[in-house]
Amino acid sequence: FLLAGLPPGQAAQNESLKLSLSQAIEMALNNNSLIKEALENEQGSLETKRSALAEFLPKASLNYSFTGLSETPFMYVEQPTATGSKTIKKDIGSDSAYHWDLTLIQPLFTGFALSTGYKMAELGIENQKLAKEIIYLEIAWKVKQAFFNVLLSQKVALVSEASVKNLKAHEKDASNFYNEGMIPYNDLLRSKVALADVIQKMEKAKSNVKIAHAILNTLLELDLNKNLEIEDPDNIPPIPDSLDKIVEGALANRPELFMLRLALKNLDFQIKLAKSSDYPTIAMIGRYEQNGDDLLATNNDFRNQYNSSLTLQANWTFFSGGKTRANTAKFRSDQRALKEKLKGFEKGIKLETQNAYINLKVAEKNIRTAKNALTQAGENWRITNLQYQQQIVSSTEVLDARTFLSQAKTNYYSARYGYMISMAELERAMGKKTNKNN
């Protein structure tokens, strides 16, 4: 009833959206503007390949011209007569000249420039696909991180709410004990101060939940205040067995490495393209033309109206002032620099993967430690609270026990979701887009 009374946009905003981790990743990959940009870039590289292929095909051009002369073209000729000869003026053309021609040019040999350009265009497609994959990895990693931060902030908020509930009950007990003269006033004040403190922490925890939701909504391209029901994964994925295999997989899967290797291949083609200018270029040119004194050049009283030709044309620039050599040397230097960059990047991936693996192992140990501490803190709270009811301990011990329990719960959830985030970090280092367990 309340939602029905709201404006349509606000009602839709208040409807909760249920999401698992895999659904959140899929939504982000479908909606993210960077992904859409990458898809357009990939489409552009396909068009570049089509353009490179078109260079192998003949080129057709049509030309049309009109020339108007102030005088009719003529020439002087000697005409024999009975007494000798005389010079006369004879027209050899019209004062209005129309011309059109159709020309076809088919390249036969370009010093391997066309085939090299086509192969470079193919590399461009692969490069754009890898660039898109890098964006996939980054977005998936950010979504996972934001997803688990939402779950963590929600758990911390629940811990704060439980702490407020417990301390309200304790403050009520303390008031009763004080009214009966069983505890001093400062014990009651200590309970009230502690309650006020946890209420402030609860409000802060609730605001953190809103912030975490806003970050995730931004990645999903949703309204910042969209209500989300996040599905908490039941199982904690196990740590992969071998660090060596993880590093090996990272070196085999990281798209950044493939991009660098493609760049090396592209420089090979750049060298080949630069050297193509050392070769002659050969083309076949076919031409049909008409010349006349009307618009379509169909009438010509002075020479043949139409003609056609087939020409084999070769061009060879055999000296360019050392330009080809300089370009080749430049690309070879770029190759050597890129090889060093590739080595450094491989080392960086090994280090990144190893650090992520170590962090994951630490997170796994922290879960076990935090779980044991949580059990102990819960029992300590139960016993201390009972002892306070019997006035065996003071408010200080109760407040400490509740603080220990809240901290133990927070530590446990931090360890649990910290493990999930560390797993996502390792998957990013390994070049895995999504978690196969989801």
Side-chain angles (χ1 to χ4, degrees), residues 85-140:
S85 65
K86 66 176 181 178
T87 301
I88 63 173
K89 192 165 65 171
K90 185 176 182 180
D91 292 342
I92 59 173
S94 173
D95 59 357
S96 296
Y98 295 87
H99 167 89
W100 66 265
D101 65 73
L102 176 65
T103 303
L104 295 176
I105 302 177
Q106 173 62 58
L108 301 178
F109 180 71
T110 59
F112 310 104
L114 294 184
S115 59
T116 301
Y118 182 76
K119 292 176 182 177
M120 290 173 67
E122 289 183 320
L123 287 184
I125 295 175
E126 294 301 317
N127 189 72
Q128 289 301 328
K129 288 180 178 178
L130 291 170
K132 181 179 65 177
E133 186 63 24
I134 291 174
I135 297 175
Y136 280 160
L137 287 173
E138 289 300 320
I139 291 176

Side-chain angles (χ1 to χ4, degrees), residues 54-192:
E55 293 295 326
F56 291 93
L57 304 177
K59 306 296 183 295
S61 62
L62 181 65
N63 300 299
Y64 183 90
S65 66
F66 164 74
T67 304
L69 303 176
S70 60
E71 296 183 7
T72 300
F74 67 89
M75 64 178 299
Y76 292 105
V77 296
E78 294 291 330
Q79 183 178 4
T81 63
T83 59
S85 65
K86 66 176 181 178
T87 301
I88 63 173
K89 192 165 65 171
K90 185 176 182 180
D91 292 342
I92 59 173
S94 173
D95 59 357
S96 296
Y98 295 87
H99 167 89
W100 66 265
D101 65 73
L102 176 65
T103 303
L104 295 176
I105 302 177
Q106 173 62 58
L108 301 178
F109 180 71
T110 59
F112 310 104
L114 294 184
S115 59
T116 301
Y118 182 76
K119 292 176 182 177
M120 290 173 67
E122 289 183 320
L123 287 184
I125 295 175
E126 294 301 317
N127 189 72
Q128 289 301 328
K129 288 180 178 178
L130 291 170
K132 181 179 65 177
E133 186 63 24
I134 291 174
I135 297 175
Y136 280 160
L137 287 173
E138 289 300 320
I139 291 176
W141 151 238
K142 290 179 180 179
V143 169
K144 291 175 185 179
Q145 190 178 32
F147 188 92
F148 292 122
N149 279 332
V150 168
L151 290 173
L152 175 58
S153 65
Q154 289 176 341
K155 295 296 185 183
V156 172
L158 290 175
V159 171
S160 298
E161 290 174 3
S163 183
V164 169
K165 182 179 179 181
N166 290 151
L167 291 189
K168 279 185 177 179
H170 172 70
E171 191 265 345
K172 183 178 180 181
D173 291 339
S175 295
N176 292 334
F177 289 148
Y178 173 74
N179 291 333
E180 294 174 6
M182 298 175 64
I183 63 172
Y185 185 56
N186 62 327
D187 261 12
L188 176 60
L189 290 178
R190 189 177 291 112
S191 301
K192 291 180 177 294

Side-chain angles (χ1 to χ4, degrees), residues 219-239:
L219 292 171
L220 302 181
E221 298 288 339
L222 298 174
D223 186 272
L224 287 179
N225 298 316
K226 178 68 177 179
N227 293 324
L228 299 176
E229 290 186 27
I230 302 300
E231 180 182 309
D232 196 343
D234 296 328
N235 300 322
I236 296 179
I239 297 179

